[in-house]
Amino acid sequence: MTNFASLSNDIKQYLIVTGNYWAFTLTDGALRMLVVLYFHQLGYSPLSIAMLFLFYEIFGVVTNLVGGYLGARLGLNKTMNIGLAIQIVALLMLVVPNEYLTVVYVMIAQALSGIAKDLNKMSAKSSIKMLVKAGQEGTLFKWVALLTGSKNALKGVGFFIGGLLLTTLSFKGAMLAMAGCLSLVWLYSLYALKNDLGKAKAKPKFSEIFSKSQAINVLSAARLFLFGARDVWFVVALPVFLAKTFGWDHWQVGGFLASWVIGYGIVQSIAPKLIGFKAGIQPQQQAVKWAGWLGFVTLLICIGLVSQWQLHFVVLGGLLLFGVLFAINSSLHSYLIVSMADADGVSLDVGFYYMANAMGRLIGTVLSGWLYQLYGLEVCLAVSLLFIVLTMMISVKLPSNKLSG
């Protein structure tokens, strides 16, 4: 506590924002796993489960655009607190009898959760730009990687918690427990977050929510297909495949996916070392190279599935390799957007970029349920490979100048 008190006010505010983001991430990961497993248990088809997340992703697209604008005008503290409050409402909406849990009703609750998630993410990621001095690219990459990696590790813990809560407390009990814990975080946030961190000096116009930077537009397009490539087989197809084909129960599915995401987050946090940032990096070269390795692994998994050779080894081993390479790609992209964003009103550029991220998740989520239901996991992975190839082709247009510092 003494060390915390000696920090500058901006650093304190950023640490509180990060803590809020971590707490929110635990509930977000748990909620996703709870919805997938519980509604699969109720007999919903893979496509129906995917549709439950449709509004979550659609409103994520809208929220990142509007949220970036609000963050620049109001300050990131206000957007963070609004996001926490909305997530609490979304959780409480699901504490109703089963007959009320229709597809449309759950989609509305998920829409609120999607809005909350992206307000929190945009606030936390944008804050870093305000605290790292211009030109310190190595420090910026390290901070972004640590935030992104820790968030995803905690999301994995959330997956584990979701499976555990469904087994021990039931679906409704899990919702109440998470809403109660997050309410305490929200009340502290209302008290502690007082500064308008990230508030633009010049009030941005609403028309400025769309990026005018060629580099950010290219990076956003690459991000769209990168995350579509992950979610097209990870969101719905993989959990259902593990439960149906391998015969795993809720605890096993939740535990394995939790471990995967935790490991994925750890790799993200050390990505600067794996990429070798000390000598500087070229965005174009690195983005294309790491996407290429990700595509190669995805191709091998596709071949193994089609040949029906050692399914457990192919799916589980391939998933681990995919996770390592995807984590490096994701961490690299997250650093590049913060580095390229305009320092004044940074949330505008970051919000636009994560709008593309949410669009990729939306496309991947819908395709994950639809393609798996009609064709199986093999086709989901084939589409994933196609998206990775598109990511590589788009990344060729990124700036080729070296970033160092």
Side-chain angles (χ1 to χ4, degrees):
M1 291 301 294
T2 303
N3 290 334
F4 182 80
S6 66
L7 295 174
S8 70
N9 199 50
D10 281 348
I11 295 290
K12 290 179 186 176
Q13 293 292 292
Y14 172 70
L15 290 176
I16 295 169
V17 167
T18 302
N20 288 348
Y21 188 38
W22 286 347
F24 179 92
T25 296
L26 286 171
T27 66
D28 185 58
L31 178 59
R32 178 168 287 262
M33 187 56 59
L34 279 159
V35 168
V36 171
L37 293 177
Y38 184 66
F39 286 90
H40 174 63
Q41 176 182 298
L42 292 179
Y44 280 55
S45 69
L47 181 57
S48 295
I49 294 173
M51 294 303 292
L52 295 176
F53 295 103
L54 184 62
F55 279 6
Y56 178 95
E57 304 297 357
I58 289 174
F59 280 86
V61 174
V62 177
T63 302
N64 277 297
L65 282 174
V66 178
Y69 168 78
L70 291 176
R73 288 189 66 92
L74 304 178
L76 300 174
N77 57 323
K78 292 184 176 65
T79 54
M80 171 67 76
N81 286 330
I82 291 170
L84 288 170
I86 292 174
Q87 178 74 342
I88 294 167
V89 173
L91 292 169
L92 292 176
M93 281 184 65
L94 297 175
V95 187
V96 294
N98 284 347
E99 55 266 28
Y100 293 105
L101 292 176
T102 63
V103 171
V104 174
Y105 182 82
V106 177
M107 285 173 70
I108 293 171
Q110 287 292 89
L112 292 177
S113 183
I115 292 170
K117 190 278 292 286
D118 284 297
L119 284 175
N120 276 263
K121 177 190 284 188
M122 180 275 302
S123 300
K125 293 290 180 72
S126 298
S127 300
I128 302 178
K129 185 76 172 184
M130 314 307 300
L131 300 171
V132 178
K133 294 180 180 179
Q136 295 184 349
E137 296 296 325
T139 301
L140 183 63
F141 196 176
K142 181 180 178 180
W143 281 36
V144 172
L146 285 172
L147 176 66
T148 305
S150 62
K151 182 269 293 186
N152 282 304
L154 286 172
K155 188 173 183 179
V157 175
F159 283 174
F160 177 79
I161 291 173
L164 177 64
L165 290 177
L166 185 59
T167 304
T168 57
L169 293 183
S170 78
F171 185 76
K172 298 179 185 63
M175 296 300 117
L176 283 171
M178 291 193 296
C181 291
L182 201 60
S183 294
L184 296 177
V185 174
W186 176 64
L187 289 173
Y188 177 75
S189 182
L190 288 174
Y191 164 76
L193 280 180
K194 298 177 181 178
N195 284 356
D196 292 334
L197 184 65
K199 194 171 183 178
K201 296 185 178 85
K203 295 294 184 183
K205 298 177 181 178
F206 189 75
S207 59
E208 294 174 355
I209 60 175
F210 296 100
S211 176
K212 297 178 179 64
S213 166
Q214 175 67 16
I216 288 175
N217 288 337
V218 170
L219 184 62
S220 298
R223 183 77 169 194
L224 185 155
F225 286 107
L226 179 66
F227 271 74
R230 183 196 67 177
D231 287 1
V232 73
W233 72 292
F234 189 81
V235 172
V236 177
L238 183 63
V240 176
F241 178 88
L242 294 175
K244 187 176 180 181
T245 305
F246 290 174
W248 289 8
D249 58 24
H250 297 156
W251 178 270
Q252 289 172 303
V253 174
F256 177 75
L257 294 182
S259 300
W260 185 90
V261 177
I262 291 169
Y264 161 75
I266 292 171
V267 174
Q268 278 187 311
S269 67
I270 62 173
K273 293 182 180 179
L274 297 176
I275 291 174
F277 189 87
K278 287 185 178 179
I281 63 168
Q282 293 175 300
Q284 178 201 77
Q285 180 190 72
Q286 293 295 327
V288 172
K289 180 180 79 172
W290 289 106
W293 280 112
L294 182 64
F296 178 68
V297 167
T298 306
L299 176 62
L300 293 180
I301 301 172
C302 285
I303 294 171
L305 276 175
V306 171
S307 65
Q308 292 290 299
W309 180 78
Q310 298 290 331
L311 278 184
H312 279 77
F313 175 78
V314 168
V315 173
L316 303 183
L319 183 62
L320 294 177
L321 285 175
F322 184 95
V324 169
L325 291 167
F326 187 88
I328 294 172
N329 277 273
S330 176
S331 191
L332 175 62
H333 281 211
S334 294
Y335 153 68
L336 289 174
I337 180 56
V338 178
S339 177
M340 295 175 180
D342 187 351
D344 186 32
V346 59
S347 62
L348 286 170
D349 285 338
V350 174
F352 178 80
Y353 168 80
Y354 280 109
M355 176 276 295
N357 186 96
M359 182 66 76
R361 294 199 315 264
L362 169 61
I363 294 169
T365 297
V366 174
L367 289 178
S368 184
W370 180 59
L371 292 176
Y372 181 77
Q373 183 169 318
L374 293 180
Y375 306 108
L377 191 62
E378 298 89 342
V379 173
C380 292
L381 277 159
V383 173
S384 176
L385 178 58
L386 172 63
F387 282 2
I388 294 169
V389 171
L390 290 172
T391 300
M392 290 176 60
M393 293 171 63
I394 293 167
S395 297
V396 171
K397 299 294 185 181
L398 285 170
S400 57
N401 57 297
K402 180 177 284 191
L403 297 173
S404 60

